[in-house]
Amino acid sequence: MHESILLEGDLFKGQETIWVLGAKGRIGRSITRKLTDGSRRIVTTDHASVDIKNLEDILVFTERNLPTVIINCAGMSSATACEENPDEAFRVNALGAKNLAIAANHYGARLIHISTDDVFNGKDDTPVNELVEPKPITIYGKSKHQGEKFIQEFSQKYFIVRSSWVYDLRTIAKIEQGLKNHSLTITRNQIASPTSRELLADFILGLVDSYDYGIYHFVTQGSTDRKGFIAEIAKLLNLEDHYEKSDFHHQTSLHPKYALMDPFMLRMKDYKSLPTWQEDLKNYLENYYLAGRSNQ
């Protein structure tokens, strides 16, 4: 059962405690669910319980709970909202990351921070690896990049994980409904490697017991555009006739046009072979989306 109140830190000295911020978000929910095996103490928070923008709140919570690992899934992820309120975007995505880095460094915790392909400008026509200097062009990308820089400056034991086109049950459900209604809205000419939240969460959990710090790109193999992603879902859900009859409405996007990332560091470390985006999607649909529906 998750802790929901602040407790005195000396009660937890020597005990492995994992603090998940943004526990109600897309990635946070999956990570929290996978951690509930009883072998570790899990502390979960969201923006209503701990303000990531307030250093004093972060330090007090860290002192009272003494986490050994901090997993930061919190963030302002709407590119449109970031453009409309840049100050808030930098408070959450940059200052918030800095506050966690300071707390993690002071109390000796390892920090796992979730970032994004939006730190790159999307203008290169080849996949970018971890050695390429980010050049963000949106407020969202700039605020996330500044958060990365703060983490590298103010903490020593950190992982920065960048991924792209992370989808979950709601993503698939929305596409399925759009197919059945024969009407979908997509972004034209965006290319990336769709990655399920479960695959990403499993990788992040693997870092909990790791000391191989640094920046990692974690994405599936291969690439597609939005329409190709929908076509594969239609095939796997036996909705190909609906796909053929569907009208596709195009919209503009603030996200990078070419969002392909190269998991160079994982390849250098002989990390296990990553699945193709089609394999990952098939597994996700069979074991999470359709399985969940059959259990209802």
Side-chain angles (χ1 to χ4, degrees):
M1 184 175 182
H2 302 321
E3 301 291 341
S4 58
I5 59 174
L6 300 180
L7 299 167
E8 294 303 322
D10 58 359
L11 295 175
F12 309 113
K13 288 181 179 178
Q15 180 180 7
E16 185 175 20
T17 298
I18 300 176
W19 176 16
V20 183
L21 293 95
K24 293 182 179 179
R26 175 178 295 178
I27 306 302
R29 288 197 307 272
S30 182
I31 289 174
T32 301
R33 173 171 46 79
K34 292 173 182 289
L35 279 171
T36 54
D37 58 2
S39 61
R40 299 178 172 99
R41 175 175 173 263
I42 312 302
V43 179
T44 64
T45 60
D46 58 20
H47 64 88
S49 53
V50 176
D51 185 1
I52 194 174
K53 299 172 291 183
N54 188 305
L55 178 59
E56 183 177 356
D57 281 2
I58 295 295
L59 289 173
V60 168
F61 191 90
T62 306
E63 181 179 17
R64 289 180 176 178
N65 289 276
L66 294 181
T68 48
V69 178
I70 301 173
I71 304 178
N72 182 28
C73 304
M76 188 171 174
S77 58
S78 168
T80 300
C82 287
E83 294 293 330
E84 293 173 349
N85 196 341
D87 285 3
E88 185 67 7
F90 274 90
R91 287 190 194 101
V92 175
N93 294 335
L95 184 61
K98 177 184 177 182
N99 292 340
L100 287 175
I102 291 172
N105 194 57
H106 183 74
Y107 290 100
R110 286 170 282 148
L111 176 59
I112 303 174
H113 178 74
I114 315 303
S115 193
T116 172
D117 61 285
D118 284 70
V119 299
F120 300 105
N121 59 27
K123 296 180 180 179
D124 296 325
D125 59 359
T126 56
V128 291
N129 64 36
E130 297 90 340
L131 305 181
V132 175
E133 181 65 25
K135 295 179 181 179
I137 57 177
T138 65
I139 296 299
Y140 173 56
K142 291 175 181 178
S143 64
K144 291 295 288 186
H145 182 222
Q146 185 59 54
E148 291 185 0
K149 292 198 291 185
F150 278 148
I151 287 172
Q152 293 174 80
E153 180 179 356
F154 290 98
S155 62
Q156 296 178 333
K157 299 185 291 186
Y158 65 83
F159 301 92
I160 295 172
V161 181
R162 298 174 182 148
S163 193
S164 68
W165 282 22
V166 179
Y167 58 87
D168 62 3
L169 298 177
R170 287 179 294 181
T171 309
I172 306 300
K174 184 178 180 179
I175 291 173
E176 181 181 16
Q177 189 59 53
L179 286 166
K180 290 179 177 178
N181 292 338
H182 300 160
S183 179
L184 297 109
T185 301
I186 62 172
T187 303
R188 190 195 301 270
N189 298 329
Q190 269 193 335
I191 299 175
S193 305
T195 304
S196 72
R197 75 170 184 181
E198 299 299 330
L199 189 70
L200 176 58
D202 286 338
F203 173 71
I204 292 168
L205 292 180
L207 298 177
V208 167
D209 297 315
S210 173
Y211 294 87
D212 204 354
Y213 306 119
I215 300 175
Y216 293 93
H217 288 179
F218 186 83
V219 290
T220 53
Q221 295 187 61
S223 63
T224 187
D225 59 12
R226 296 289 185 181
K227 196 170 183 179
F229 181 57
I230 293 172
E232 189 68 15
I233 291 173
K235 183 180 76 172
L236 293 170
L237 295 180
N238 296 316
L239 295 173
E240 291 174 288
D241 288 345
H242 291 271
Y243 175 84
E244 296 299 330
K245 296 175 183 177
S246 293
D247 293 322
F248 287 86
H249 309 283
H250 297 96
Q251 65 180 7
T252 58
S253 174
L254 294 169
H255 295 288
K257 176 181 177 182
Y258 196 83
L260 284 183
M261 295 193 295
D262 174 21
F264 175 75
M265 293 306 298
L266 293 180
R267 194 165 61 252
M268 293 301 99
K269 297 175 184 298
D270 294 324
Y271 186 78
K272 64 182 181 181
S273 178
L274 295 172
T276 65
W277 68 267
Q278 296 97 326
E279 292 168 341
D280 182 33
L281 177 61
K282 184 175 185 294
N283 177 71
Y284 187 75
L285 290 179
E286 291 178 350
N287 295 303
Y288 295 96
Y289 187 67
L290 296 177
R293 179 183 298 174
S294 64
N295 291 331
Q296 291 179 353

